[in-house]
Amino acid sequence: MSLWLLETNSYVRWLLIDFSKAFDVVDRGILAAKLTGLDMPPAISFWIVSFLTGRTQQVKHGFQLSSPKPINRDIAQGSGLGPTLYIIMESDFKALSNSNLLFKYANDTTLLVPEITDVDINDKFSNVLKWATDNRMIVNLRKTKKLFYDVF
């Protein structure tokens, strides 16, 4: 992935970003706003929001079943639509610089930052945290890692 970056830089930093419980904490209001901004028929956006609305969960322990509780945040993990909805949720998450590469696959996000860049890596990470806050997502700082690849 970053091999061509090593042709013009002596090292590349990889920021492996982990969003905690990414599918479980998606704010449906924010997702709905992003859906309406897409170039698709409004009926499809309405159908998706309807699919996510009014969902409940129950817990069964032995022969006891709890009363249904509403699910206010999530994108129906395990559904065929879940990964696509998460990608839409993260669609406005961009790198701060054209010299950086951002790879997103479902809830796995990797930011490649070459040695020669116009924005400091700390500013880039602040941008990640700001996006997460603005979108009510949680960056798991324990699992988020920074790796270095360098030319020997």
Side-chain angles (χ1 to χ4, degrees):
M1 269 190 229
S2 67
L3 291 179
W4 70 270
L5 287 175
L6 289 174
E7 292 177 6
T8 56
N9 295 273
S10 60
Y11 63 86
V12 175
R13 293 162 289 193
W14 288 41
L15 186 58
L16 307 172
I17 304 160
D18 183 83
F19 290 103
S20 293
K21 301 183 181 271
F23 285 80
D24 298 334
V25 299
V26 168
D27 183 288
R28 293 185 187 151
I30 293 171
L31 177 60
K34 291 179 183 192
L35 282 167
T36 59
L38 296 176
D39 185 25
M40 65 179 170
I44 294 174
S45 296
F46 179 76
W47 175 79
I48 293 170
V49 170
S50 176
F51 169 72
L52 296 172
T53 304
R55 299 177 73 81
T56 61
Q57 66 181 4
Q58 292 179 284
V59 175
K60 183 176 181 181
H61 180 70
F63 295 105
Q64 299 282 333
L65 186 63
S66 70
S67 59
K69 302 291 181 194
I71 301 172
N72 299 319
R73 297 177 72 170
D74 87 336
I75 50 174
Q77 187 170 333
S79 69
L81 201 52
T84 301
L85 292 177
Y86 186 79
I87 290 168
I88 291 168
M89 182 66 184
E90 216 182 51
S91 64
D92 61 346
F93 180 39
K94 308 279 188 228
L96 278 178
S97 171
N98 289 333
S99 65
N100 303 145
L101 298 176
L102 188 63
F103 296 94
K104 299 182 271 186
Y105 178 75
N107 62 334
D108 294 325
T109 304
T110 302
L111 178 64
L112 300 179
V113 181
E115 170 195 17
I116 302 167
T117 184
D118 53 346
V119 181
D120 182 73
I121 190 147
N122 294 322
D123 293 334
K124 294 170 195 305
F125 190 60
S126 293
N127 182 57
V128 169
L129 295 175
K130 181 183 179 330
W131 182 89
T133 300
D134 291 349
N135 287 276
R136 299 187 65 197
M137 300 293 288
I138 303 161
V139 175
N140 184 337
L141 297 176
R142 286 191 206 164
K143 290 185 178 179
T144 295
K145 303 291 181 200
K146 183 169 58 171
L147 303 175
F148 287 88
Y149 288 104
D150 60 8
V151 176
F152 293 90

